[in-house]
Each structure stands twice: as structure tokens, then as C-alpha cells.
Amino acid sequence: MDAGEGSGQRFAVPENAEESHENEEESLPVRRVAERPDAGELAGEPPGEPIAAHRKPGREAKGAKKAKEAKEADAKKDLIPIPASLDGFKRKLEEEVGYKTSFDIVLREMTFGDRRVAFFFFNGFAKDTILTEVLKRLTYLQAEDYRTASFHDFFRLYVPAIQVVEEQDWDDMMTNVLSGGTAMFVEGDDKVLLIDAKAFPARNPEEPTLERVVRGARDGFVETMLVNVTLVRRRLRDKQLRYEIMRVGERTQTDICIAYIDDIVDKEMLESMKDKIKQVKVDGLPLADKQLEEATVQRGWNPFPLVRYSERPDTVAVHLMEGNIAIFVDTTPSVMILPTTFFDLLQHAEENRQTPFIGTYLRWVRFFGIIASLFLLPLWFLFTLRPELKPPGLGFIGAQQAGHLPMVAQFILAEVGVDLMRMAAIHTPTPLATAMSLIAAILIGDIAVKTGLFVNEVVLYMAISAIGMFATPSYELGLANRIIRLVLIIAVALFEVPGFVVATTFFFVMLCMQRSFNRPYMWPLVPFDAKGMLGILLRVPVLQNRKRPNYLKAQQRDKMPN
């Protein structure tokens, strides 16, 4: 039966059987092959049956094909074409990006043979050495090479750059160039070549000021995301380490990288994090990671941090190996680590750079300082108001003399004064920092006590609380603890013992109810985990720390390889 006969039979069928005969007609050659005596044996199927690989798709396959075609059609409909002429290309640049208005926009026009070529880039982002090599290679070609050259010849043969891709969508091209790339336009084609020739302004990796260690690495993250992911990759030579790139912000188009170890991380948590980032609809993220945190965590007015920030590559590498997710945001030197717990925010890299005994000692000293920063001032104030509550051996506690201001006013002024000095220290140039410290210590502290504005004990305990706050590894947690301390002081001033008990209970319950990306914030205390709590209280030796935290739900709980 030839094609004509098959076609004639198709028009002879009834209308209600059109679809089934359509399948039959298209599969006729296959059936003729399968009817051979050995065809079924060769295909591994019973004789007389069509070969499975050549069967006509059913209605489900047809539906999937139509859906795919519809999706491709929508993508083409949304595609903004690139003008094929150089004059149209320049006009579009003038209208949309401000070509000839912004001084840093460069359009380098050249003619090779009879082909007009233009390189579009931003002056501050371009890697001039790479672009110069591309131009050299193009000038070596003869005129006849350009007459017969196609766009693919430029892509495969004539552009000597490592990372080159084709692009035919105008918006995608603009986003790439605004991110530092270079677009090579060849007149007559509705595509461009995107050359990754970037040279971002960046500083060298330096030790973070908030996470200094006595012994250990001195490199820290910088404002360039590519440098940051490389610093982590240097420490984690794991083929399962994944870096997924996303963009957030209609105007800023900020690059965001989600880092995780594929065979350790909880995939459900990973997908949830990706969905939250995709749902962020904002104009931009000029403040980088902090704005992204607020857009994804949506914690409202809760003062406690639900993610951990770090500027140390080794700290991020350790958390990735535990099963956490790290989020790099371009233009910021800090990395978000999530999920996190309250006790994660109390740990520091210095503890793991010392022996287990010394590391445990340092951890306990830090815990004592943080607890003192929270409860020392409220308890002293309570014993001052209610002397009968003092234990027999603590009779010396309490104000020996009254000041001119009420005690609660002295506490509030002292809190605000410490914050002012902290902010002044940040904004004061380094040569003047010593002079400012003398002013704060001698003129303000000493004279305020001598004039009776403050009581000696208020200044003393306020200084101890401030030291405990500065000893907190997480800067965000230290600020949150300061707010809690201030609320406890006001509660004691208003209601004394009931105020202290109720306020402390309220904040503890609030912490227990918090969740960081659907993980308990107070783990391993609530819910209680004995092994996890032991790992918090003690700096366990490396070879005895064999399990990953169970709250992360890692795919592999065992840290030690088989």
C-alpha cells in the first residue's frame, strides 16, 4: 500500500472514527515491519504487535505535546526582538537605556569587510583586555571571510572568549549588560553574542571586623558574589555542592545565589525557600540581604533574628556541611545562613579554633556574659526596690545613696547613652576614636556620678551589661537582648516581682513559639534534645561529633564517611 492508497482509505472512514483511523494510518509502516516473523523477536515483543518505541502517542501524549507547543508560543509572544539593523539598535538604546545621555554607556562601532559590528557595554564593568583580544581576532580575518560568515561562525570560530552565549531577547540582553557583560551586535542578525568580560570594582578579602579570631583564616567575604562563592568552594571541594542563581527586583535585578549540598540538605525546605524568593515582588534590593530577609521571613515586629549572618567563609562551609542553606546576595559581604536557632547565634568560630576544654570554657564565659547582659540590671533594680528579697550573703547589693533622678530614669538614660556612644564610635574617624572614648569615660561617666545625676552602681552594672552585649557573637541578637533588658527594667519599675516574672515568662514563651523556616527556634531546649543540648553546652571533639542536628532533617545524619 502506498501513500496514495493510505490517503484514500483515510477519507473513506466515517467521521466518528476519524481519530482512530488517523492513528492507524500513521502507524501502518510500523505494523508492516512488525508482521514479519522475526520482527517481534527482534523487538522483544509478541509477534504482530507494533514496536513499543514507534507506537503512536495516545491522547495524553498529544495533550502534553499541545501544552508544550502552547508554552513555546507564549514564550515567543513575550520575546522582545532585537533590531536587525545597527541604526535601529542604536535608536532603541537611546530610548530605553539613555545612550548618548549617560556617559558610561559605550557602543563601539566597527566595520569588518562589509559587516557592521558594534560592542555594547558599560565602561566601568568592561574587561578591556578580553575585548581587545576579541577585536584583534576579528581584524585578522579577510574580507571574504566576513562575506560568507554566518552568525554561528562568529559564535563558534571568530570570538576568542571563554563564556559566550547567543541571545535574541532584548530584555535578557539588557539585564546581562547591566550586570557587567558585553553584547556583540552583528548587523543583519536579530541576535547578539553575550561575552562575559566583567571587571567589577572589588576590594581584597579581609578579616571580618565582627567575627575576629586569634587563630584561623583571615579572609572574609567581599561585595562581589563571585568572589564569595569561590571562597566557599575553595573549602568545600564537594561535587554535591550546588550554586543556583536567581534574580530579584524589577529595577535592581539583584543576583541571588542559593548554596547547598545536594545529598545532605532537606529538599522540602530547599523548595520552600526557592518559592519564597520567587514570590518576592519588589522594585529592588539596594540594601541586599537585609531586605531579602524581611521579604522572605516576614517576621513583623519581632526583634529576634531568624537567620544568621556571617562574613566568614569557614563558618558558612561548616553550616553547609550540617545541612543548612546559605544565600549569597550580590553587593553585600555577609551571607545569610538558614534555618537558625537561638543557640546557633551564641556560637563563635574562636571556640572551634581552641582545644575542646578551652573552647568549652570560652563558650561558658560567653553564655555568662549574655545572661548578665539580660538579667543583671533588672535583678539589681528589683533587689533595690525590694531589699527583703536579697539572699543573706548579698546584703551589699543595692543603691547606697539615691540620685537626683528616679532609678528607672537613670537606667533609661544610661541605655540611650550607651547606644549613642556606640553609634558615635561607628561614625567617628579612627584617629578621633581615642578622644571620643576619653570624653565618654571621664567627662560623661565620672562627672555624671559626682554631680548626683547617676548612682555609682547604675554605671557599674550598665557597663557590665554592655560588655555582655558586645560579647554576643550575633550583632542582631545583641541589639534584641538590649530591647528585652529595657522592657524588663520598665516591668520591674511598674509591677516589681510580678512584672519581672510575667515579662520573663512572656519573652521565653515567645521565643519557644518562633520558627525559623518551619524549624523550632529554641531547639534543642524546646523541644528538648539531650544530645543536641550537650553539643550546645560543650565544645565536643571533632571525632565525637558524629551526627548532624536532627532539626535540620538532613538526608544523611552521619557525618563520618563509611
Side-chain angles (χ1 to χ4, degrees):
M1 182 184 299
D2 56 13
E5 291 175 335
S7 179
Q9 288 185 3
R10 183 183 63 179
F11 288 106
V13 298
E15 292 182 1
N16 57 359
E18 183 177 355
E19 183 175 348
S20 62
H21 282 272
E22 208 172 282
N23 295 342
E24 179 184 356
E25 181 231 349
E26 294 187 16
S27 61
L28 280 175
V30 176
R31 291 185 178 180
R32 186 165 59 242
V33 174
E35 286 171 0
R36 293 172 49 192
D38 57 344
E41 298 177 3
L42 292 175
E45 299 181 354
E49 290 292 325
I51 299 175
H54 298 281
R55 286 177 181 166
K56 178 69 177 178
R59 294 190 178 184
E60 293 182 0
K62 281 187 175 182
K65 184 178 180 182
K66 289 181 179 179
K68 182 179 179 181
E69 292 175 353
K71 186 176 180 181
E72 292 176 354
D74 292 339
K76 290 181 180 179
K77 190 183 298 182
D78 297 336
L79 184 142
I80 300 177
I82 297 174
S85 67
L86 182 56
D87 294 334
F89 187 78
K90 290 194 292 185
R91 282 196 301 270
K92 201 169 180 64
L93 289 180
E94 292 177 8
E95 295 171 0
E96 293 200 9
V97 77
Y99 173 57
K100 294 183 179 178
T101 301
S102 297
F103 76 94
D104 61 335
I105 299 177
V106 180
L107 187 69
R108 178 72 166 93
E109 300 179 43
M110 300 187 73
T111 301
F112 299 103
D114 58 351
R115 306 293 292 272
R116 298 177 67 190
V117 178
F119 291 86
F120 168 47
F121 55 90
F122 283 80
N123 197 16
F125 291 151
K127 186 76 171 178
D128 53 354
T129 55
I130 297 178
L131 296 181
T132 302
E133 289 299 321
V134 173
L135 292 177
K136 283 183 180 179
R137 176 70 176 88
L138 293 175
T139 55
Y140 290 156
L141 299 176
Q142 302 298 323
E144 55 270 15
D145 296 329
Y146 290 107
R147 294 191 188 98
T148 60
S150 64
F151 187 82
H152 291 286
D153 292 332
F154 283 93
F155 175 58
R156 297 175 182 174
L157 303 175
Y158 300 157
V159 178
I162 296 177
Q163 297 184 23
V164 182
V165 295
E166 297 181 12
E167 184 57 63
Q168 57 182 354
D169 182 71
W170 177 267
D171 284 346
D172 290 343
M173 178 204 73
M174 288 303 307
T175 300
N176 186 280
V177 175
L178 288 168
S179 301
T182 299
M184 176 182 172
F185 174 82
V186 181
E187 191 171 40
D189 292 295
D190 59 350
K191 300 178 182 178
V192 295
L193 290 181
L194 297 178
I195 305 172
D196 189 10
K198 302 175 183 177
F200 291 123
R203 60 183 175 90
N204 294 326
E206 300 173 354
E207 185 177 11
T209 56
L210 293 178
E211 298 176 274
R212 292 183 180 274
V213 294
V214 177
R215 295 191 182 278
R218 295 291 189 268
D219 56 345
F221 292 130
V222 297
E223 288 75 16
T224 306
M225 188 175 69
L226 186 59
V227 175
N228 295 342
V229 298
T230 305
L231 289 174
V232 176
R233 177 77 75 175
R234 183 183 178 188
R235 289 167 169 81
L236 270 179
R237 301 175 182 177
D238 188 350
K239 59 184 179 182
Q240 295 294 331
L241 179 60
R242 302 287 184 264
Y243 289 138
E244 294 191 24
I245 195 74
M246 303 175 70
R247 283 196 175 102
V248 175
E250 294 296 328
R251 294 185 181 275
T252 60
Q253 291 289 313
T254 305
D255 289 326
I256 295 173
C257 173
I258 303 177
Y260 59 92
I261 298 181
D262 193 49
D263 58 347
I264 296 178
V265 71
D266 178 20
K267 292 301 183 67
E268 183 179 350
M269 178 179 64
L270 176 64
E271 293 301 322
S272 175
M273 188 64 237
K274 290 180 184 177
D275 292 339
K276 287 186 177 181
I277 295 179
K278 291 177 182 177
Q279 293 171 7
V280 175
K281 303 297 181 183
V282 293
D283 272 358
L285 300 175
L287 300 181
D289 50 2
K290 195 60 184 176
Q291 287 183 314
L292 180 65
E293 177 202 349
E294 293 184 9
T296 53
V297 177
Q298 299 176 354
R299 61 183 180 181
W301 294 94
N302 177 22
F304 288 97
L306 298 181
V307 300
R308 180 178 180 180
Y309 290 96
S310 179
E311 298 182 23
R312 296 188 61 88
D314 50 1
T315 299
V316 173
V318 168
H319 280 278
L320 287 174
M321 294 180 66
E322 294 286 337
N324 295 83
I325 299 173
I327 298 182
F328 299 80
V329 183
D330 197 21
T331 71
T332 182
S334 55
V335 173
M336 295 169 51
I337 302 172
L338 54 98
T340 190
T341 67
F342 182 84
F343 297 99
D344 283 339
L345 301 172
L346 304 181
Q347 299 184 29
H348 192 269
E350 179 68 23
E351 301 160 3
N352 296 286
R353 295 290 184 178
Q354 305 297 331
T355 62
F357 183 85
I358 300 300
T360 301
Y361 166 75
L362 295 176
R363 184 173 294 185
W364 273 91
V365 170
R366 183 173 289 111
F367 287 167
F368 175 78
I370 295 171
I371 294 173
S373 70
L374 273 173
F375 298 110
L376 185 62
L377 272 177
L379 284 174
W380 180 84
F381 187 28
L382 182 61
F383 290 152
T384 302
L385 296 178
R386 299 286 298 273
E388 66 275 11
L389 297 177
K390 291 186 291 186
L394 300 178
F396 61 92
I397 293 180
Q400 304 300 323
Q401 58 183 358
H404 297 303
L405 292 177
M407 197 71 68
V408 64
Q410 295 182 33
F411 284 128
I412 295 176
L413 285 177
E415 291 280 2
V416 175
V418 171
D419 276 333
L420 284 175
M421 287 188 290
R422 178 181 57 83
M423 290 187 287
I426 294 174
H427 302 300
T428 302
T430 303
L432 302 178
T434 304
M436 193 210 68
S437 301
L438 293 174
I439 292 173
I442 299 175
L443 297 182
I444 296 179
D446 188 53
I447 295 177
V449 171
K450 288 182 178 179
T451 57
L453 187 64
F454 286 101
V455 177
N456 286 322
E457 288 84 353
V458 171
V459 177
L460 172 63
Y461 293 123
M462 188 66 229
I464 296 175
S465 298
I467 293 174
M469 188 199 75
F470 294 139
T472 306
S474 172
Y475 180 68
E476 293 78 13
L477 181 61
L479 295 178
N481 289 343
R482 165 163 290 186
I483 299 299
I484 301 306
R485 180 175 67 241
L486 191 58
V487 173
L488 290 176
I489 291 173
I490 295 175
V492 169
L494 295 176
F495 305 105
E496 297 183 351
V497 176
F500 179 81
V501 173
V502 171
T504 303
T505 305
F506 171 78
F507 284 117
F508 181 74
V509 173
M510 184 187 71
L511 289 174
C512 293
M513 294 178 62
Q514 293 295 327
R515 298 184 73 82
S516 174
F517 294 92
N518 204 28
R519 298 298 191 273
Y521 190 59
M522 290 299 289
W523 184 92
L525 184 61
V526 179
F528 185 74
D529 186 331
K531 291 184 178 180
M533 200 66 198
L534 183 65
I536 295 295
L537 298 177
L538 305 177
R539 208 287 269 173
V540 182
V542 173
L543 296 181
Q544 297 180 16
N545 188 12
R546 308 183 66 89
K547 298 293 182 180
R548 293 184 172 88
N550 56 17
Y551 81 97
L552 291 173
K553 300 180 181 179
Q555 299 178 53
Q556 299 180 18
R557 286 291 314 282
D558 194 354
K559 289 184 179 181
M560 303 300 173
N562 294 330

